[in-house]
Amino acid sequence: MIVVAIDGPAGAGKSTIAKALAAKLGVRYLDTGAMYRAVTFAAMTSGIELSNQDLVAELTRKSKMLLTDETVMINGLDATTAIRSSEVTGAVSTVAANSQVRTELRERQRQWIADHNGGVVEGRDIGSVVFPDATLKVYLTASPIVRAKRRVAQSGGNVDEIAASIASRDLQDSSRSDSPLTQTDDAITIDTSDRSIDEVVAQLVEMTDQRSSKTA
Ligand code: DC
């Protein structure tokens, strides 16, 4: 079973690269950030205070989530667009710092991969905590200005404001006590600032093939 873990800060190119890599390898793609976003959306629409850790965790455990390459459903609602709203983006780090939520979502991520016989998984703690024995661990990064410009190209907004909001989310994601964003020693670090998607994907396909033939 092939598992490729792709971690890194917001705007480093994780989703684009992870999706393209999964297609080339013929495996599924799992966006774990979408799971944290879906829980945030569900809590906000149910009027639950995000600071109430027990209630948010209970909601997480009770929620039914369905993730495909294109859509995110939570409790029967299509949340694909709503989870990318600025309200959810601004609030998701609080939910991602909730240890009980992390415990539940980590289990669901492992189960998803078992059910789909492997995949390319993107997030913040995939190589460090969720799949420490992944076939290949990749840490993607890019300069702050490149990351902000990519987000603006995707969803609009002002580069300076987006850069500030990315910096604040990165700080929260890397300084929380439970499974913060970290670079593991065995991860390959790739700076995507000046590289094309195709080039990075081709490099990762080659590395995954090498690793999986060694462990086969
Ligand atoms: O990748 P993203 O921007 O959609 O992630 C949304 C939030 O969820 C982000 O603040 C980091 C957090 N996250 C996390 O803590 N652990 C993961 N495995 C994936 C995302």
Side-chain angles (χ1 to χ4, degrees):
M1 179 170 90
I2 290 176
V3 178
V4 179
I6 301 196
D7 292 298
K14 295 190 300 295
S15 300
T16 313
I17 289 169
K19 270 187 205 164
L21 178 62
K24 292 262 184 212
L25 296 173
V27 297
R28 296 287 303 276
Y29 153 75
L30 178 63
D31 174 3
T32 63
M35 300 173 82
Y36 289 94
R37 286 173 179 272
V39 169
T40 306
F41 166 77
M44 289 168 91
T45 48
S46 326
I48 294 176
E49 279 293 327
L50 300 183
S51 56
N52 189 331
Q53 300 211 350
D54 291 341
L55 267 188
V56 177
E58 194 190 326
L59 172 76
T60 308
R61 288 189 286 265
K62 284 200 307 211
S63 289
K64 282 202 167 61
M65 253 187 245
L66 190 67
L67 281 98
T68 69
D69 286 1
E70 306 301 332
T71 55
V72 179
M73 303 277 299
I74 184 154
N75 300 326
L77 278 182
D78 184 343
T80 313
T81 308
I83 62 166
R84 307 287 164 198
S85 69
S86 55
E87 289 80 8
V88 169
T89 300
V92 63
S93 284
T94 304
V95 171
N98 182 327
S99 269
Q100 298 178 70
V101 170
R102 298 198 73 80
T103 302
E104 173 66 20
L105 293 188
R106 278 203 286 261
E107 274 320 303
R108 292 189 186 206
Q109 289 153 18
R110 292 182 182 125
Q111 191 57 51
W112 193 97
I113 282 295
D115 291 345
H116 293 86
N117 197 27
V120 177
V121 191
E122 70 149 291
R124 302 292 189 289
D125 59 343
I126 308 306
S128 56
V129 180
V130 186
F131 293 108
D133 299 324
T135 316
L136 180 70
K137 298 183 190 182
V138 185
Y139 188 89
L140 288 185
T141 185
S143 72
I145 187 70
V146 167
R147 297 199 277 130
K149 282 184 177 163
R150 281 182 187 157
R151 280 290 140 105
V152 170
Q154 263 170 9
S155 334
N158 170 285
V159 175
D160 290 339
E161 281 170 19
I162 301 283
S165 104
I166 288 181
S168 130
R169 202 144 62 90
D170 284 352
L171 179 68
Q172 272 183 281
D173 291 335
S174 17
S175 57
R176 65 169 178 247
S177 58
D178 187 342
S179 44
L181 169 65
T182 38
Q183 224 163 321
T184 59
D185 291 342
D186 54 353
I188 291 134
T189 301
I190 299 181
D191 187 325
T192 64
S193 306
D194 302 314
R195 298 188 58 190
S196 75
I197 302 292
D198 288 351
E199 202 181 305
V200 175
V201 172
Q203 180 185 353
L204 295 179
V205 169
E206 201 182 312
M207 295 184 108
T208 310
D209 285 347
Q210 278 170 4
R211 299 286 174 96
S212 56
S213 64
K214 264 189 211 156
T215 52

